Amino acid sequence: DTGVSQNPRHKITKRGQNVTFRCDPISEHNRLYWYRQTLGQGPEFLTYFQNEAQLEKSRLLSDRFSAERPKGSFSTLEIQRTEQGDSAMYLCASSPLTGYSSYNEQFFGPGTRLTVL
Amino acid sequence: AQKVTQAQTEISVVEKEDVTLDCVYETRDTTYYLFWYKQPPSGELVFLIRRNSFDEQNEISGRYSWNFQKSTSSFNFTITASQVVDSAVYFCALSESNTGKLIFGQGTTLQVKP
């Protein structure tokens, strides 16, 4: 396993369309995080899973956004009725759950760059 | 509220100069972890270092060194003898204690010119 992978790497869509991104974490990593990064800013937390359970969602995650992690393996992030403000880089990260939870470094994928026209 | 501030938006140096990237954080947690990540032009965030709130000992790794000062809530990063390959955006981040989620600063863009 060489790391976290994300697909697609780039997605261009028209406003109002639905899009879905996939993240494959490092095997056996219990935690999976989604972040959004806009130009010139640091990544912002969206949501995270511990195994298959979604434990927290940011206020940034409107009801047009939904994320799943079936069977605690890969995760998908879907955006419905995309808006131009959704244009950003969507980053996925995974980490093991050992010891103190905030100790573990997160391993990031290459991201999916979304452009909404 | 938890917050990370990187006041330097962009820094430009000439190769072989030393450069320090500043990071100031706010948290109410008594136990917390701080991180530095590098984001090269390719876009993928690369982990550089982790530091816990109980360990204020400075750390050196090759040309990289980190100065953690709890009294001033700062976790600064110094690159000695900078190289062109160090050009990237550098992020400081604070880890939330229960969830492990990262709160990032806005990043500092470092440009090292030959």
Side-chain angles (χ1 to χ4, degrees), chain B residues 44-62:
Chain B
E44 193 160 338
L45 282 160
V46 177
F47 167 78
L48 295 178
I49 192 172
R50 167 185 51 233
R51 171 65 72 208
N52 73 57
S53 53
F54 295 117
D55 184 1
E56 291 196 61
Q57 191 171 20
N58 291 336
E59 184 160 339
I60 298 174
S61 175

Side-chain angles (χ1 to χ4, degrees), chain B residues 1-63:
Chain B
Q2 296 179 308
K3 186 179 179 182
V4 175
T5 302
Q6 295 179 255
Q8 304 150 308
T9 305
E10 293 184 22
I11 300 176
S12 181
V13 299
V14 176
E15 204 169 20
K16 297 184 183 178
E17 285 185 18
D18 298 347
V19 58
T20 295
L21 309 181
D22 298 333
C23 172
V24 175
Y25 63 91
E26 297 174 30
T27 181
R28 292 182 179 177
D29 291 340
T30 53
T31 302
Y32 52 89
Y33 287 83
L34 295 161
F35 298 79
W36 275 94
Y37 280 85
K38 175 181 180 180
Q39 189 173 43
S42 61
E44 193 160 338
L45 282 160
V46 177
F47 167 78
L48 295 178
I49 192 172
R50 167 185 51 233
R51 171 65 72 208
N52 73 57
S53 53
F54 295 117
D55 184 1
E56 291 196 61
Q57 191 171 20
N58 291 336
E59 184 160 339
I60 298 174
S61 175
R63 295 185 298 107

Side-chain angles (χ1 to χ4, degrees), chain A residues 4 9 31 33 35 37 40-45 48 56 89 91 100-110, chain B residues 31-33 35 37 39 42-45 47 50 91 95-107:
Chain A
V4 178
R9 294 292 307 277
R31 286 192 166 176
Y33 299 81
Y35 294 85
Q37 185 179 20
Q41 302 295 317
E44 295 175 292
F45 169 78
Y48 91 101
E56 184 173 332
M89 176 77 87
L91 296 166
Y100 196 68
S101 63
S102 67
Y103 167 84
N104 299 297
E105 70 187 78
Q106 294 181 22
F107 295 82
F108 282 81
Chain B
T31 302
Y32 52 89
Y33 287 83
F35 298 79
Y37 280 85
Q39 189 173 43
S42 61
E44 193 160 338
L45 282 160
F47 167 78
R50 167 185 51 233
F91 291 99
S95 179
E96 188 179 83
S97 56
N98 292 330
T99 66
K101 74 182 183 187
L102 295 173
I103 296 103
F104 285 87
Q106 289 190 304

